Amino acid sequence: MLKLSVIGTGYLGATHAAAMSSLGFEVIGVDTDETKIAQLNLGKVPFFEPNLEELLTQELASGRLKFTTEVSDAADCDVHFICVGTPQLKDSLAADLSYVNASLHAVAKIAKAGSVIVGKSTVPVGTAERLSKELQAINNQVELAWNPEFLREGFAVEDTLRPNRLVVGVTSDHAENVLRQAYKPLLENNVPWIRADLPTAELVKVAANSFLATKISFINAMAEICEAAGGDVTVLAQAIGYDPRIGSRFLQAGIGFGGGCLPKDIRAFMARSEELGAKQSVEFLREIDSINLRARQRMIDLVRADIGNDLKGKKIAVLGAAFKPDSDDVRDSPALDIAAQIHASGALVMVHDPKAIIPARARHPELTYSESIEDVVNAADVILHLTEWKIYRELDPQLLKGLVKHPVIIDGRNALNRELWLKAGWKFRALGRSSAS
Ligand code: UGA
């Protein structure tokens, strides 16, 4: 049985380590953050991800899974998965590769002969070939492969154990065979296996995220047109989605995409394409990015259309801070960005989120937060529904009507039941649905 290491224990690495252990492998997770490692060794996941804490506890108890801050503890591993972050650089569109570079160099020094280092982080195309050369200079007994990860936050465990495909960028049969052994339990369930060269494997990941971002911005552009022409984007999305060539998923119009992946990945793709002399090929992503950011502005315009330009002294209730439901991640969260912009215009903004209040407060301490929906909506001039948590769909509009100052709700995610709110006497507004209500 192979022994595996996972370098970097954030969303991707912590999930990958626990999931690979559950497949029966001995796994050691490595991270430089001592607090994170101490927490993981106690079975505590430092972020919210459904089912992960249970899996982690189960795997620690099995004795197969351990976490350490010492990369040398991973010296006897056959496969080293690099799962560190590649955030956007502060002063450019490009990705910060310092964590990937540092991990590769650290592992290269301790890896045993015949082992394979496998990059899972999202990197600009060409990174793997460069790292491969650097690896050869430090340790020519070890190979580098690239195996992009497609997991979604909120479904991380499910997506890791039941991926819809496995893509491996390799330069030798040996590396492919080692990876086939590592994923054997998944391959037995007929998961499609795609062998590629290093640049193609890197590109698959950014191409997939660019496509998803494009789909969301496409429907948000249609929402703008619906607003101008008096149409309803939810009906339009449903109707075009029945065409199997289009498909109905990722056509939810609203305040757009955020998180730690889609926004920074399309920007890094533009930056890299320019370096490659192929700027024009992904120039459309610039428009995808602007449509996405415009959706946030349109939400604020809807607020102003309802309560007037002067937001000073108005109470705005915000439901949702996370970038999407079932996650406490607030990185580039459209919901939190909108809340902060409205606050900056002088309104009193009170924010509710079932899981993300602590990370949201760390990023935007100027906003007011409450764990009680009643507190948040109490005496509100308008309610904004910005992250589509299930509990918000279960709210009783009749009951809330007695708490607010004005019964006005703006659905930024097109996820609420409009008829229900209208029946209870609310003014209901939503992005891309200009039909009178
Ligand atoms: C995304 C991809 O979906 C994963 O396949 C990929 O592995 C991951 O990035 C990554 O690169 O690591 P994730 O960031 O977890 O996953 O979130 P998504 O489910 O893709 O949602 C992204 C954003 O788009 C969210 O803010 C969501 O609210 C928004 N969205 C999604 C819409 O506005 N409309 C939709 O129809 C779908």
Side-chain angles (χ1 to χ4, degrees):
M1 201 80 173
L2 297 175
K3 275 187 89 171
L4 318 176
S5 89
V6 174
I7 318 293
T9 56
Y11 281 97
L12 168 57
T15 311
H16 194 65
M20 294 308 281
S21 164
S22 78
L23 297 178
F25 297 104
E26 236 182 272
V27 182
I28 182 140
V30 186
D31 202 293
T32 48
D33 184 333
E34 284 177 18
T35 322
K36 204 189 266 181
I37 290 299
Q39 275 187 296
L40 287 166
N41 271 325
L42 290 172
K44 295 261 165 275
V45 177
F47 48 86
F48 173 69
E49 181 60 45
N51 307 321
L52 183 54
E53 204 148 280
E54 292 80 343
L55 189 72
L56 177 70
T57 312
Q58 173 194 309
E59 293 313 307
L60 287 169
S62 78
R64 287 186 297 266
L65 178 62
K66 290 190 177 59
F67 293 92
T68 177
T69 51
E70 293 302 322
V71 72
S72 54
D73 293 346
D76 61 343
C77 289
D78 304 285
V79 185
H80 303 274
F81 289 102
I82 294 187
C83 296
V84 295
T86 51
Q88 185 179 338
L89 283 167
K90 282 209 166 52
D91 48 1
S92 91
L93 294 183
D96 179 355
L97 295 177
S98 56
Y99 306 107
V100 170
N101 295 340
S103 333
L104 185 279
H105 284 247
V107 179
K109 289 183 194 121
I110 58 101
K112 68 176 184 187
S115 64
V116 181
I117 301 177
V118 183
K120 287 188 82 64
S121 310
T122 303
V123 291
V125 59
T127 305
E129 270 180 2
R130 169 180 60 80
L131 291 175
S132 187
K133 287 194 190 108
E134 292 175 20
L135 171 62
Q136 293 317 301
I138 306 170
N139 183 345
N140 64 8
Q141 305 290 303
V142 178
E143 276 182 63
L144 183 70
W146 218 263
N147 166 222
E149 177 56 56
F150 304 101
L151 68 79
R152 297 160 296 168
E153 288 179 23
F155 298 89
V157 172
E158 167 73 14
D159 286 351
T160 307
L161 289 173
R162 273 170 288 278
N164 43 31
R165 78 286 209 191
L166 285 163
V167 178
V168 296
V170 290
T171 51
S172 76
D173 290 342
H174 168 70
E176 183 184 5
N177 289 338
V178 171
L179 273 163
R180 272 189 186 275
Q181 280 181 58
Y183 287 123
K184 191 161 174 258
L186 305 184
L187 292 174
E188 280 162 3
N189 291 331
N190 295 323
V191 174
W193 177 265
I194 296 159
R195 175 176 170 158
D197 51 35
L198 293 175
T200 308
E202 293 168 310
L203 278 171
V204 169
K205 173 63 192 240
V206 279
N209 276 0
S210 297
F211 193 86
L212 294 170
T214 301
K215 220 174 164 188
I216 300 168
S217 277
F218 174 82
I219 202 65
N220 284 333
M222 294 305 108
E224 292 178 354
I225 303 285
C226 283
E227 282 162 17
D232 185 330
V233 75
T234 63
V235 178
L236 183 140
Q238 191 192 9
I240 62 172
Y242 279 118
D243 182 333
R245 293 170 303 174
I246 296 172
S248 57
R249 297 179 71 184
F250 265 66
L251 281 186
Q252 189 82 19
I255 57 174
F257 58 80
C261 302
L262 262 45
K264 69 113 173 137
D265 286 356
I266 61 168
R267 291 172 195 155
F269 198 13
M270 285 188 266
R272 183 62 184 139
S273 303
E274 189 167 350
E275 284 169 8
L276 291 169
K279 181 174 179 222
Q280 226 184 350
S281 310
V282 291
E283 192 61 27
F284 70 95
L285 290 176
R286 206 170 297 280
E287 194 52 37
I288 298 306
D289 203 4
S290 2
I291 295 168
N292 191 50
L293 295 176
R294 271 206 311 268
R296 302 177 188 187
Q297 194 50 52
R298 283 167 40 238
M299 186 72 196
I300 298 169
D301 293 346
L302 275 186
V303 175
R304 290 190 193 278
D306 188 75
I307 57 178
N309 254 336
D310 187 8
L311 301 182
K312 280 197 195 72
K314 303 286 182 186
K315 180 175 175 188
I316 317 286
V318 168
L319 300 182
F323 86 107
K324 69 175 196 179
D326 297 315
S327 166
D328 63 357
D329 196 345
V330 295
R331 284 176 295 170
D332 202 352
S333 165
L336 205 51
D337 186 16
I338 289 166
Q341 287 195 49
I342 293 179
H343 168 87
S345 304
L348 167 65
V349 180
M350 209 161 172
V351 182
H352 176 271
D353 192 284
K355 295 286 177 193
I357 289 184
I358 294 172
R361 186 181 278 126
R363 261 172 209 246
H364 284 287
E366 77 278 18
L367 303 176
T368 312
Y369 298 89
S370 172
E371 283 174 14
S372 146
I373 297 184
E374 284 75 20
D375 270 3
V376 165
V377 303
N378 187 43
D381 288 280
V382 57
I383 299 180
L384 311 185
H385 174 241
L386 300 185
T387 311
E388 67 276 35
W389 288 93
K390 186 162 171 270
I391 51 160
Y392 301 147
R393 289 198 289 284
E394 291 164 351
L395 287 172
D396 180 352
Q398 200 68 54
L399 208 93
L400 291 194
K401 207 178 155 199
L403 299 174
V404 296
K405 192 161 168 199
H406 299 295
V408 184
I409 183 147
I410 309 181
D411 186 3
R413 289 295 185 180
N414 281 309
L416 299 175
N417 181 337
R418 177 167 69 175
E419 276 54 54
L420 207 72
W421 289 81
L422 289 178
K423 222 160 85 199
W426 286 72
K427 199 161 151 196
F428 190 97
R429 297 279 179 263
L431 286 172
R433 301 179 83 180
S434 65
S435 328
S437 57

Short mmCIF file of all heavy atoms in Angstrom, two decimals, residues 122 149-153 205 209 212 216 220 249-262 265 323-325 334 388 413, ligand 1:
data_model
loop_
_atom_site.label_atom_id
_atom_site.label_comp_id
_atom_site.label_asym_id
_atom_site.label_seq_id
_atom_site.Cartn_x
_atom_site.Cartn_y
_atom_site.Cartn_z
N THR A 122 -3.95 25.11 -8.33
CA THR A 122 -4.24 25.72 -9.63
C THR A 122 -3.12 26.69 -9.97
O THR A 122 -2.89 27.64 -9.24
CB THR A 122 -5.59 26.46 -9.57
OG1 THR A 122 -6.58 25.52 -9.17
CG2 THR A 122 -5.96 27.06 -10.91
N GLU A 149 -7.46 19.65 -9.34
CA GLU A 149 -8.57 19.26 -8.47
C GLU A 149 -9.80 20.07 -8.86
O GLU A 149 -9.69 21.26 -9.12
CB GLU A 149 -8.15 19.58 -7.03
CG GLU A 149 -9.18 19.31 -5.99
CD GLU A 149 -9.64 17.88 -6.02
OE1 GLU A 149 -8.81 16.97 -5.91
OE2 GLU A 149 -10.88 17.66 -6.17
N PHE A 150 -10.95 19.42 -8.89
CA PHE A 150 -12.16 20.14 -9.33
C PHE A 150 -13.20 20.26 -8.23
O PHE A 150 -14.37 20.49 -8.49
CB PHE A 150 -12.77 19.43 -10.55
CG PHE A 150 -11.80 19.28 -11.68
CD1 PHE A 150 -11.17 18.06 -11.92
CD2 PHE A 150 -11.47 20.36 -12.48
CE1 PHE A 150 -10.25 17.92 -12.95
CE2 PHE A 150 -10.56 20.23 -13.52
CZ PHE A 150 -9.94 19.01 -13.76
N LEU A 151 -12.77 20.06 -6.97
CA LEU A 151 -13.79 20.04 -5.91
C LEU A 151 -14.42 21.40 -5.69
O LEU A 151 -13.81 22.45 -5.88
CB LEU A 151 -13.23 19.49 -4.60
CG LEU A 151 -12.19 20.25 -3.79
CD1 LEU A 151 -12.79 21.37 -2.97
CD2 LEU A 151 -11.48 19.28 -2.86
N ARG A 152 -15.71 21.35 -5.31
CA ARG A 152 -16.44 22.58 -4.98
C ARG A 152 -16.52 22.69 -3.48
O ARG A 152 -16.74 21.68 -2.79
CB ARG A 152 -17.88 22.50 -5.51
CG ARG A 152 -18.02 22.40 -7.00
CD ARG A 152 -19.39 21.85 -7.36
NE ARG A 152 -19.57 20.48 -6.87
CZ ARG A 152 -20.73 19.83 -6.82
NH1 ARG A 152 -21.83 20.42 -7.23
NH2 ARG A 152 -20.81 18.58 -6.38
N GLU A 153 -16.35 23.89 -2.94
CA GLU A 153 -16.57 24.08 -1.51
C GLU A 153 -18.03 23.75 -1.23
O GLU A 153 -18.90 24.00 -2.05
CB GLU A 153 -16.23 25.52 -1.11
CG GLU A 153 -14.73 25.74 -1.14
CD GLU A 153 -14.33 27.16 -0.77
OE1 GLU A 153 -15.09 27.86 -0.07
OE2 GLU A 153 -13.24 27.58 -1.19
N LYS A 205 -7.80 22.76 -15.83
CA LYS A 205 -8.38 23.38 -14.64
C LYS A 205 -8.85 24.82 -14.90
O LYS A 205 -10.00 25.18 -14.62
CB LYS A 205 -7.34 23.36 -13.52
CG LYS A 205 -7.73 24.11 -12.28
CD LYS A 205 -8.95 23.50 -11.64
CE LYS A 205 -9.51 24.41 -10.59
NZ LYS A 205 -9.55 23.84 -9.28
N ASN A 209 -12.78 26.33 -15.06
CA ASN A 209 -13.26 27.45 -14.24
C ASN A 209 -13.65 28.65 -15.10
O ASN A 209 -14.59 29.36 -14.78
CB ASN A 209 -12.23 27.83 -13.17
CG ASN A 209 -12.36 26.94 -11.93
OD1 ASN A 209 -13.21 26.05 -11.88
ND2 ASN A 209 -11.54 27.19 -10.93
N LEU A 212 -17.10 27.91 -16.47
CA LEU A 212 -18.14 28.07 -15.45
C LEU A 212 -18.41 29.55 -15.19
O LEU A 212 -19.56 29.98 -15.10
CB LEU A 212 -17.72 27.37 -14.15
CG LEU A 212 -17.62 25.85 -14.23
CD1 LEU A 212 -16.98 25.26 -12.98
CD2 LEU A 212 -19.01 25.23 -14.46
N ILE A 216 -21.98 31.74 -15.84
CA ILE A 216 -22.66 32.59 -14.86
C ILE A 216 -22.78 34.02 -15.39
O ILE A 216 -23.84 34.65 -15.31
CB ILE A 216 -21.91 32.59 -13.50
CG1 ILE A 216 -21.85 31.17 -12.93
CG2 ILE A 216 -22.58 33.52 -12.50
CD1 ILE A 216 -20.89 31.00 -11.76
N ASN A 220 -26.03 36.40 -16.26
CA ASN A 220 -26.17 37.72 -15.63
C ASN A 220 -26.25 38.83 -16.67
O ASN A 220 -26.90 39.85 -16.44
CB ASN A 220 -25.04 37.96 -14.62
CG ASN A 220 -25.30 37.17 -13.34
OD1 ASN A 220 -26.45 36.88 -13.00
ND2 ASN A 220 -24.24 36.82 -12.62
N ARG A 249 -27.62 23.83 -15.35
CA ARG A 249 -26.80 24.13 -14.17
C ARG A 249 -25.90 25.33 -14.43
O ARG A 249 -25.50 25.60 -15.54
CB ARG A 249 -25.97 22.91 -13.79
CG ARG A 249 -26.91 21.76 -13.41
CD ARG A 249 -26.16 20.54 -13.06
NE ARG A 249 -25.47 20.70 -11.78
CZ ARG A 249 -24.66 19.78 -11.28
NH1 ARG A 249 -24.44 18.67 -11.95
NH2 ARG A 249 -24.07 19.97 -10.12
N PHE A 250 -25.62 26.07 -13.34
CA PHE A 250 -24.80 27.28 -13.42
C PHE A 250 -25.44 28.36 -14.27
O PHE A 250 -24.77 29.15 -14.92
CB PHE A 250 -23.38 26.94 -13.91
CG PHE A 250 -22.44 26.76 -12.75
CD1 PHE A 250 -22.61 25.72 -11.87
CD2 PHE A 250 -21.42 27.67 -12.50
CE1 PHE A 250 -21.79 25.56 -10.76
CE2 PHE A 250 -20.59 27.53 -11.40
CZ PHE A 250 -20.78 26.47 -10.53
N LEU A 251 -26.77 28.38 -14.26
CA LEU A 251 -27.49 29.45 -14.95
C LEU A 251 -28.35 30.21 -13.95
O LEU A 251 -29.41 30.73 -14.28
CB LEU A 251 -28.38 28.87 -16.06
CG LEU A 251 -27.69 28.48 -17.36
CD1 LEU A 251 -28.72 28.06 -18.41
CD2 LEU A 251 -26.84 29.62 -17.92
N GLN A 252 -27.89 30.24 -12.70
CA GLN A 252 -28.63 30.95 -11.66
C GLN A 252 -28.18 32.41 -11.68
O GLN A 252 -27.06 32.72 -11.28
CB GLN A 252 -28.29 30.29 -10.31
CG GLN A 252 -29.11 30.73 -9.15
CD GLN A 252 -30.45 30.01 -9.10
OE1 GLN A 252 -30.63 28.96 -9.71
NE2 GLN A 252 -31.39 30.60 -8.39
N ALA A 253 -29.05 33.28 -12.20
CA ALA A 253 -28.67 34.70 -12.27
C ALA A 253 -28.74 35.32 -10.87
O ALA A 253 -29.52 34.89 -10.02
CB ALA A 253 -29.62 35.43 -13.21
N GLY A 254 -27.92 36.32 -10.65
CA GLY A 254 -27.92 36.97 -9.34
C GLY A 254 -26.74 37.89 -9.19
O GLY A 254 -26.30 38.51 -10.18
N ILE A 255 -26.19 37.95 -7.97
CA ILE A 255 -25.10 38.91 -7.71
C ILE A 255 -23.74 38.37 -8.15
O ILE A 255 -22.72 39.01 -7.93
CB ILE A 255 -25.07 39.35 -6.23
CG1 ILE A 255 -24.94 38.14 -5.30
CG2 ILE A 255 -26.30 40.19 -5.90
CD1 ILE A 255 -24.75 38.51 -3.83
N GLY A 256 -23.73 37.18 -8.76
CA GLY A 256 -22.52 36.73 -9.44
C GLY A 256 -21.60 35.84 -8.62
O GLY A 256 -21.89 35.48 -7.49
N PHE A 257 -20.47 35.52 -9.25
CA PHE A 257 -19.54 34.56 -8.62
C PHE A 257 -18.50 35.27 -7.77
O PHE A 257 -18.10 36.39 -8.03
CB PHE A 257 -18.88 33.66 -9.67
CG PHE A 257 -18.11 34.36 -10.74
CD1 PHE A 257 -16.81 34.82 -10.51
CD2 PHE A 257 -18.65 34.55 -12.01
CE1 PHE A 257 -16.08 35.45 -11.51
CE2 PHE A 257 -17.94 35.19 -13.03
CZ PHE A 257 -16.65 35.64 -12.77
N GLY A 258 -18.08 34.54 -6.73
CA GLY A 258 -17.00 35.03 -5.87
C GLY A 258 -16.21 33.83 -5.40
O GLY A 258 -16.18 32.80 -6.07
N GLY A 259 -15.59 33.95 -4.23
CA GLY A 259 -14.84 32.83 -3.67
C GLY A 259 -13.36 32.92 -3.99
O GLY A 259 -12.89 33.86 -4.64
N GLY A 260 -12.63 31.89 -3.56
CA GLY A 260 -11.18 31.90 -3.70
C GLY A 260 -10.71 31.35 -5.04
O GLY A 260 -9.50 31.24 -5.27
N CYS A 261 -11.64 30.98 -5.95
CA CYS A 261 -11.20 30.32 -7.19
C CYS A 261 -11.59 31.05 -8.47
O CYS A 261 -10.72 31.57 -9.16
CB CYS A 261 -11.74 28.90 -7.22
SG CYS A 261 -11.21 27.94 -5.79
N LEU A 262 -12.89 31.06 -8.79
CA LEU A 262 -13.31 31.60 -10.09
C LEU A 262 -12.74 32.99 -10.38
O LEU A 262 -12.12 33.19 -11.44
CB LEU A 262 -14.84 31.59 -10.20
CG LEU A 262 -15.48 30.41 -10.97
CD1 LEU A 262 -14.89 29.08 -10.58
CD2 LEU A 262 -16.99 30.40 -10.83
N ASP A 265 -8.88 32.87 -10.72
CA ASP A 265 -8.42 31.99 -11.80
C ASP A 265 -8.58 32.64 -13.17
O ASP A 265 -7.69 32.53 -14.02
CB ASP A 265 -9.17 30.64 -11.77
CG ASP A 265 -8.69 29.75 -10.64
OD1 ASP A 265 -7.74 30.15 -9.94
OD2 ASP A 265 -9.28 28.66 -10.45
N PHE A 323 -19.59 33.42 0.32
CA PHE A 323 -19.65 33.59 -1.13
C PHE A 323 -20.65 32.64 -1.78
O PHE A 323 -21.08 32.84 -2.91
CB PHE A 323 -18.26 33.45 -1.77
CG PHE A 323 -17.83 32.04 -2.10
CD1 PHE A 323 -17.81 31.60 -3.41
CD2 PHE A 323 -17.43 31.17 -1.11
CE1 PHE A 323 -17.40 30.30 -3.74
CE2 PHE A 323 -17.03 29.87 -1.41
CZ PHE A 323 -17.02 29.43 -2.73
N LYS A 324 -21.02 31.59 -1.03
CA LYS A 324 -22.07 30.68 -1.48
C LYS A 324 -22.55 29.89 -0.26
O LYS A 324 -21.87 29.88 0.77
CB LYS A 324 -21.56 29.75 -2.58
CG LYS A 324 -20.56 28.71 -2.14
CD LYS A 324 -20.26 27.81 -3.32
CE LYS A 324 -19.59 26.53 -2.88
NZ LYS A 324 -19.32 25.64 -4.00
N PRO A 325 -23.72 29.24 -0.36
CA PRO A 325 -24.20 28.51 0.82
C PRO A 325 -23.35 27.29 1.15
O PRO A 325 -22.56 26.83 0.32
CB PRO A 325 -25.63 28.10 0.42
CG PRO A 325 -25.68 28.19 -1.06
CD PRO A 325 -24.66 29.19 -1.49
N PRO A 334 -19.44 38.21 -3.04
CA PRO A 334 -20.29 39.30 -3.55
C PRO A 334 -21.20 39.84 -2.45
O PRO A 334 -21.42 41.04 -2.37
CB PRO A 334 -21.11 38.62 -4.65
CG PRO A 334 -20.39 37.37 -5.01
CD PRO A 334 -19.63 36.95 -3.79
N GLU A 388 -27.72 32.13 -0.82
CA GLU A 388 -28.95 31.33 -0.79
C GLU A 388 -28.89 30.12 0.15
O GLU A 388 -29.01 28.97 -0.25
CB GLU A 388 -29.37 30.93 -2.21
CG GLU A 388 -28.46 29.97 -2.96
CD GLU A 388 -27.27 30.61 -3.65
OE1 GLU A 388 -26.71 31.59 -3.14
OE2 GLU A 388 -26.86 30.09 -4.71
N ARG A 413 -30.28 36.41 -5.32
CA ARG A 413 -29.87 35.08 -5.79
C ARG A 413 -30.96 34.36 -6.58
O ARG A 413 -30.78 33.20 -6.96
CB ARG A 413 -29.45 34.21 -4.59
CG ARG A 413 -28.14 34.64 -3.95
CD ARG A 413 -26.99 34.45 -4.92
NE ARG A 413 -25.70 34.74 -4.32
CZ ARG A 413 -24.56 34.63 -4.99
NH1 ARG A 413 -24.54 34.24 -6.24
NH2 ARG A 413 -23.41 34.91 -4.42
C1 UGA B 1 -15.26 26.32 -8.21
C2 UGA B 1 -15.55 25.24 -9.26
O1 UGA B 1 -16.96 25.04 -9.37
C3 UGA B 1 -14.88 23.93 -8.88
O2 UGA B 1 -15.09 22.96 -9.88
C4 UGA B 1 -13.38 24.19 -8.71
O3 UGA B 1 -12.68 23.01 -8.31
C5 UGA B 1 -13.18 25.26 -7.65
O4 UGA B 1 -13.85 26.46 -8.05
C6 UGA B 1 -11.70 25.49 -7.52
O5 UGA B 1 -11.11 26.03 -8.46
O6 UGA B 1 -11.10 25.04 -6.54
P1 UGA B 1 -16.28 26.89 -5.79
O7 UGA B 1 -15.39 28.10 -5.80
O8 UGA B 1 -16.36 26.05 -4.58
O9 UGA B 1 -15.87 25.89 -6.99
O10 UGA B 1 -17.73 27.44 -6.08
P2 UGA B 1 -18.85 27.28 -7.22
O11 UGA B 1 -19.86 26.32 -6.79
O12 UGA B 1 -18.24 27.11 -8.56
O13 UGA B 1 -19.49 28.75 -7.16
C7 UGA B 1 -18.71 29.89 -7.46
C8 UGA B 1 -19.52 31.15 -7.36
O14 UGA B 1 -20.46 31.22 -8.43
C9 UGA B 1 -20.34 31.30 -6.09
O15 UGA B 1 -20.18 32.63 -5.61
C10 UGA B 1 -21.75 31.03 -6.53
O16 UGA B 1 -22.70 31.71 -5.73
C11 UGA B 1 -21.73 31.57 -7.95
N1 UGA B 1 -22.75 30.96 -8.85
C12 UGA B 1 -22.71 29.63 -9.12
C13 UGA B 1 -23.73 31.76 -9.43
O17 UGA B 1 -23.77 33.00 -9.20
N2 UGA B 1 -24.64 31.20 -10.27
C14 UGA B 1 -24.63 29.89 -10.56
O18 UGA B 1 -25.49 29.43 -11.35
C15 UGA B 1 -23.64 29.07 -9.97
#
